[in-house]
Amino acid sequence: MLDQQHQRRIDDLFDAMNEANESFLGYPFAKGFSYEPLWRFMKLSGNNFGDPFGPETYRVNSRLLECEVIEFFARVFRAPPSEIWGYVTNGGTEGNTYGLHLGRELYPNAVAYFSRDTHCSVSKAVRLLRLEHVVVQAEPSGEIAYEDLAQQAFRSRHRPAIVVANIGTTMKEGRDDIEKIRRALHSVGVEEVYIHSDAALCGPYAQFQSPRTPFDFLDGADSIMFSGHKFFGAPIPCGVVLALKQHVQRVLRTANYVGSSDTTLSGSRSAYTAIILWYAIRSLGVEGIKRMFEQCEGLAAYTVDALKARGIGGWRNPSALTVVLPPVEECVRTKWQILTQDVSHVVVTPGTTKGQINALVEAMTIDR
Ligand SMILES: Cc1ncc(COP(=O)(O)O)c(C=O)c1O
């Protein structure tokens, strides 16, 4: 039991977080889900450490549901589940680090390539993994510049390449086409290529975007990750990483050699987040995810139109949920928690309302 003073502090914190939750538009975190039926699990010490598909001794876990989550997304990303291995991570950053780790274990002599619009978790990971890397130009849309990729790779054409493809850049939701990436590398003689798709936000809906950008296993990805707290609005940060089993097994042999069979990056992992993601996919199904994406997409289109009607230049990539804005004023940035670099953006995730969009457009208009 807390004393009165500490109870007040926690009540105040709840009120502040609750209020902030109603007024953010600049981060890709969905607000439209209710995971309240899962609260009872919070009194358990659930821990999914280790390989979700491996043997267990600690049974207060949700690995069975975790495996179902992995199998579900293996199908979504068009690979037979028997050919895919994966786990529920602590977030997208871990997924990117895992993908790059796998690439480096397969090709220790590789050079890593990614565009300058890539999320900072990738630079963090290449530094951690001591991977030699090259930052490639990006187009104004946020998509990687394939010609620059080819030119950069030509210099190291006798070495394997590990490429992080953005399936939705953080600021503009620009999408890199992994078929074009392979072609660009092939054209300069790079033979061994590992592609990791960073689908942090778009993973759950990228298959429904039009035009669809090649990004998944059938298109030639070696690993794919997305964040669970973004489109699915998990109240605890988490993510999913999937990779071709043949790659993981090669790494596993290396790991076994040094006496460890652990396949995941982290030690203890939340049992709760796997349950949350399982709950999301089982309550929505593929059709529900599609419907939810379409609703958001409609509102993103409305946002661009509403901005244009007020003479404000907003735009988005084809069927993206991210609307790119000119940098917004400080007061708008603070009120709506709008991430701003050279541009600002609004991300229309599940739970975003037309009322919030109208209020933002109004605030941007007054400000001019
Ligand atoms: C494109 C992209 N990749 C990776 C990440 C990192 O994901 P997380 O915050 O779940 O670690 C983000 C986060 O915004 C992102 O936008």
Side-chain angles (χ1 to χ4, degrees), residues 53 116 130 149 168 188 238 247 253 288 332:
F53 295 88
R116 71 175 154 80
R130 289 184 184 271
L149 173 66
V188 294
C238 59
H247 296 333
R253 275 208 291 277
V332 176

Side-chain angles (χ1 to χ4, degrees), residues 28 91-93 96 119 121 166 168-170 198 200 225 227 229-230 238:
T93 299
N96 278 343
H119 188 259
S121 57
N166 288 302
T169 58
T170 308
D198 172 350
M225 81 79 179
S227 303
H229 46 284
K230 293 195 167 100
C238 59

Side-chain angles (χ1 to χ4, degrees), residues 100-114:
L100 285 163
H101 162 69
L102 220 48
R104 195 206 59 184
E105 293 298 292
L106 292 176
Y107 299 128
N109 186 35
V111 178
Y113 301 89
F114 50 89

Side-chain angles (χ1 to χ4, degrees), residues 250-284:
R250 280 168 68 175
V251 173
L252 240 190
R253 275 208 291 277
T254 317
N256 279 333
Y257 179 70
V258 293
S260 154
S261 61
D262 192 2
T263 34
T264 63
L265 270 194
S266 39
S268 289
R269 294 187 296 108
S270 170
Y272 197 55
T273 50
I275 299 170
I276 291 168
L277 292 179
W278 181 89
Y279 186 81
I281 59 169
R282 291 298 178 227
S283 45
L284 286 169

